[in-house]
Structure formats: structure tokens, C-alpha cells
Amino acid sequence: MTRILAIETSCDETAAAVVDDGVFVLSSIVVSQEALHRRWGGVVPELASREHAVHLAPAVRRALAMAGTEWSALDAVAVTRGPGLAGALVVGLNFARAAAVGRGIPLIAVNHLEAHLHASWLASPMALPSGHTPDFPVIGLVVSGGHTELVVMHDWDVVEVVGRTRDDAAGEAFDKVARILGLGYPGGPAIQAAAALAPATTSGSGEPDARDTLSRPWMRGNLDFSFSGLKTAMLRQVEGELHGNGTPVGNPSRLAEVARAVGHASAGDNAARPVTERTARLARAFQEAVVDVLVSKACEAAVMYGAKEVVLAGGVAANLRLREALIAASPVRVRVPALEYCTDNAAMVGAVAYRQLLRGEVSGQGLDIRPNLQIGER
Ligand code: KG4
Ligand code: ZN
């Protein structure tokens, strides 16, 4: 049995976990900085680093206590080295390095995006180990605040990117559109909640009302994505309705200005407002368009690459509509992470680190962060 202490500080979650054999999560502590960053409508890097410095040691202590383990029982320390915010990554990496040196155990540097891809195979300590081995090749859809990538996992460590966003990441689009609609921060859960309030379709045909439908950015002929056009379409809707005639007016780059003009969100004011029926319908229209494109391309990739499974990963994988639609449409088995392992956490870092330890991929003490790390790099 191999016991790993894992640390994650790439963005705005300070996280520590103890994971056995890369699968069994003995403890997973996540200290969210959401409330701190909410008033700015997004993550403020310097504030994030300082918060990590304050909260990491207590988080590690809690993770060890909850796992009922001592430092002496650990076989390795794992940490995210990238991609992420430089100042945030440094805090986790320095802590992990000091712990590894102090205990004389291996230090394992993990790619945050690969960690997300491993989250679906995590289990509670009571689970049976069977059923936790993927059948390769696996299509992975990584959808987070910073990334939207479609990959083929030929094996745990052989990951090929076959499609990616050309502009905004899916989570980023959710966050920006939530801001346009005055739905607060972070946008993904807010849009999902607002969309759920939209009334059933009204046309009588079972089809959504045309006013509730956005055209999809298909990017035909490849597996890439583009979400900035959807954001602009939402902005034009809001802007047009602001002027009372539904006619698009103005320059879409005036996002913050328009959001302020419609009395929705501005810096320092990102708390959610009561949701009107129109806002709920727009939230649903946006969510449906994003989900439709993500699901279609993931399924297309599954057929194209003869995949045996499709795995969903990253913060947007928490979206219930996306999970439901992918499960309904996929030609092969779908794995989705438990909700607690969709958004940033350290258990997923422990999962990928275990595979690296088995392969002897251990870092030296001069390890550095890699804020721009790509999938497939370590
Ligand atoms: O993976 P993550 O925690 O951080 C990054 O590595 O980026 O992802 C955060 C992103 C945010 O953009 C957030 O709005 C989105 O995941 N998100 C969701 C949901 N929950 C979180 N998007 C859609 N629906 C959700 N339920
Ligand atoms: Zn993430």
C-alpha cells in the first residue's frame, strides 16, 4: 500500500489530501477563497497566494488528522506544479518540497489538468478496488475555468490533445455570462441554478421557444471549441432588451459597461440578485448551447478514436445538465467525477502522483513551478 500526501494551490482553492494507492481517499480538505474573490468578480492572484500561505499548513494538518495518519506513514508528497497562477503554485510547491526533504521521502510534481482527468477513478476507503480501472483508449473532456480540452488517453501517461478552445474556456464563459446576467460569482453554479428556474417550453411543439435558443458555435470539421461568440450573443440580447426593442446595439467589447448599465454586476458588487423569468430563460439558452457543443464533440471524438470510455473532468464537470446530456448521448460508458472532485481538490493530485511514483517519476529538490504547463507535459 502506498500512501501519498497531496497538495493543490494552483488557483483559489487551498487543498490537501491523503490518498492510498492513487484511488482511496482517506481525507480531502478544500479551503475555498470564493468569498474573498467574489467582490472582485474573479480571482485576484496576489490575494490568492497570501491566502494559500495562511491556510495550507492547517489544511495539511487537518488532512493528516482526518486520515488518522502520521507523517511517518507517508510514502511520498505530491504537489501541483502547473498550470496555474505562479504565486499560488509557489506556495504549495515550497511546502511540499520542505515536507519531502524533512521526511526524506519522494517529491512528485503533478500536472493539474492530468489530475482533473484522474478524478473520476477516486473512491472512498470502503469501496472495492474492482471497477476502478479504465478501459483505454478513453476520451477525456477537461472543462474548467482556465481550460477546455478534448483528449485521447491511450494510457494513464499517454495523453494526446485532439481539440481545444480557440478563445474562452467553458468555465470562463459561464463566469462571464453569469456576470452579464447579474447572477454572481462563480458563474457556473449560478447559471445552472438560474436555468433550472426557467419554465418548461412554451411553443407547444416540445421545442424550445426560438427566443430561448442560441445558435451553436460548431466549428465544423475539427474538434475545437469557441465560446466567445456565445458570450457576445448573450451580451447583445441583454443590451437589446435594455433598449427595449430587442435590437442589438453597441459594441460587444463593452461587456462590463453594459453589465453595469443594466444594473447587474460591477466590481465590488458580484452578489447574486433575484432571478427574473427572462434571466432564467437566457441562462438556460446559454447552458443548453454550451452543453450541446461539448457533448456532440466528445461523442464525435469517441467514435473517431474508437474509445471504450468517455471521462468528464474539471470544474464544469459539476454541471448537472452536462453530466445528464453526456450520459444520454455517449456511444460508450461515461465516467463522471463525484461532485466534490470536479472542482479543484488535492485528492486528484494524489491519484495521478501514484501512477507517476509507480513509473519512478520523482522530482529533485530543485523542482520549479510551470505556470503554463500543457497536457502531456510534466
Ligand atoms: O476546475 P476548477 O475548479 O478550476 C480551474 O482549474 O479552473 O473550475 C472552476 C470553473 C469555474 O469557471 C466555475 O464557474 C465552473 O468551473 N463551474 C461550473 C459549475 N461548477 C463550477 N460550471 C458549470 N456548472 C457548474 N455546476
Ligand atoms: Zn482545476
Side-chain angles (χ1 to χ4, degrees), residues 13 112 116 144-146 171-172 174-175 186-189 192 314-316 318-319 342-344:
E13 259 96 29
H112 180 83
H116 272 303
S144 72
E172 184 182 1
F174 269 95
D175 293 337
Q192 177 180 303
V316 183
N319 187 277
C342 287
T343 44
D344 290 348

Side-chain angles (χ1 to χ4, degrees), residues 273-346:
R273 304 276 171 84
V275 179
T276 63
E277 183 185 319
R278 185 65 194 134
T279 303
R281 298 170 90 110
L282 286 171
R284 180 176 61 189
F286 169 75
Q287 180 174 262
E288 288 301 313
V290 173
V291 165
D292 200 4
V293 175
L294 290 174
V295 167
S296 301
K297 297 238 168 175
C299 293
E300 194 182 329
V303 172
M304 202 182 282
Y305 289 91
K308 307 261 181 33
E309 299 183 8
V310 174
V311 64
L312 202 50
V316 183
N319 187 277
L320 298 178
R321 183 71 190 111
L322 174 60
R323 296 159 82 97
E324 168 191 278
L326 182 61
I327 290 167
S330 174
V332 292
R333 174 182 180 157
V334 176
R335 293 191 191 249
V336 293
L339 283 175
E340 65 200 293
Y341 304 134
C342 287
T343 44
D344 290 348
N345 65 87

Side-chain angles (χ1 to χ4, degrees), residues 95-183:
F95 188 102
R97 184 195 345 253
V101 170
R103 295 301 317 165
I105 53 178
L107 174 64
I108 304 167
V110 165
N111 179 320
H112 180 83
L113 298 173
E114 290 185 18
H116 272 303
L117 278 170
H118 284 233
S120 282
W121 288 278
L122 291 168
S124 79
M126 303 308 288
L128 293 172
S130 60
H132 289 281
T133 317
D135 216 358
F136 296 109
V138 174
I139 291 296
L141 177 62
V142 188
V143 273
S144 72
H147 294 267
T148 299
E149 309 202 35
L150 201 49
V151 304
V152 186
M153 297 172 76
H154 299 283
D155 201 341
W156 284 119
D157 61 332
V158 186
V159 183
E160 178 192 0
V161 178
V162 295
R164 53 165 42 116
T165 183
R166 300 204 179 162
D167 39 60
D168 293 346
E172 184 182 1
F174 269 95
D175 293 337
K176 287 177 177 171
V177 166
R179 194 159 182 205
I180 292 171
L181 295 177
L183 290 171

Side-chain angles (χ1 to χ4, degrees), residues 20-304:
D20 279 355
D21 291 341
V23 172
F24 303 106
V25 185
L26 303 191
S27 63
S28 175
I29 305 293
V30 179
V31 184
S32 171
Q33 302 176 9
E34 202 174 286
L36 172 72
H37 298 290
R38 177 175 290 128
R39 64 184 296 253
W40 307 102
V43 178
V44 183
E46 186 176 331
L47 291 181
S49 316
R50 292 170 62 169
E51 286 292 294
H52 287 313
V54 171
H55 295 293
L56 182 54
V60 167
R61 199 161 21 179
R62 277 171 62 204
L64 293 173
M66 195 171 283
T69 195
E70 302 287 335
W71 281 98
S72 57
L74 298 176
D75 297 297
V77 182
V79 65
T80 301
R81 79 180 304 202
L85 302 169
L89 291 164
V90 162
V91 177
L93 193 140
N94 269 344
F95 188 102
R97 184 195 345 253
V101 170
R103 295 301 317 165
I105 53 178
L107 174 64
I108 304 167
V110 165
N111 179 320
H112 180 83
L113 298 173
E114 290 185 18
H116 272 303
L117 278 170
H118 284 233
S120 282
W121 288 278
L122 291 168
S124 79
M126 303 308 288
L128 293 172
S130 60
H132 289 281
T133 317
D135 216 358
F136 296 109
V138 174
I139 291 296
L141 177 62
V142 188
V143 273
S144 72
H147 294 267
T148 299
E149 309 202 35
L150 201 49
V151 304
V152 186
M153 297 172 76
H154 299 283
D155 201 341
W156 284 119
D157 61 332
V158 186
V159 183
E160 178 192 0
V161 178
V162 295
R164 53 165 42 116
T165 183
R166 300 204 179 162
D167 39 60
D168 293 346
E172 184 182 1
F174 269 95
D175 293 337
K176 287 177 177 171
V177 166
R179 194 159 182 205
I180 292 171
L181 295 177
L183 290 171
Y185 168 88
I191 291 209
Q192 177 180 303
L197 297 174
T201 55
T202 51
S203 65
S205 66
E207 291 298 311
D209 188 317
R211 280 208 321 154
D212 289 353
T213 309
L214 293 169
S215 61
R216 274 64 166 144
W218 287 119
M219 313 281 292
R220 302 248 181 234
N222 59 65
L223 294 170
D224 283 349
F225 303 95
S226 167
F227 295 112
S228 73
L230 280 178
K231 175 188 68 191
T232 306
M234 294 299 286
L235 182 59
R236 286 183 180 276
Q237 289 268 357
V238 170
E239 201 177 30
E241 288 174 25
L242 168 70
H243 289 264
N245 55 9
T247 312
V249 276
N251 173 356
S253 68
R254 287 171 34 232
L255 189 152
E257 197 184 319
V258 173
R260 260 196 303 282
V262 293
H264 285 323
S266 62
D269 176 21
N270 291 289
R273 304 276 171 84
V275 179
T276 63
E277 183 185 319
R278 185 65 194 134
T279 303
R281 298 170 90 110
L282 286 171
R284 180 176 61 189
F286 169 75
Q287 180 174 262
E288 288 301 313
V290 173
V291 165
D292 200 4
V293 175
L294 290 174
V295 167
S296 301
K297 297 238 168 175
C299 293
E300 194 182 329
V303 172
M304 202 182 282

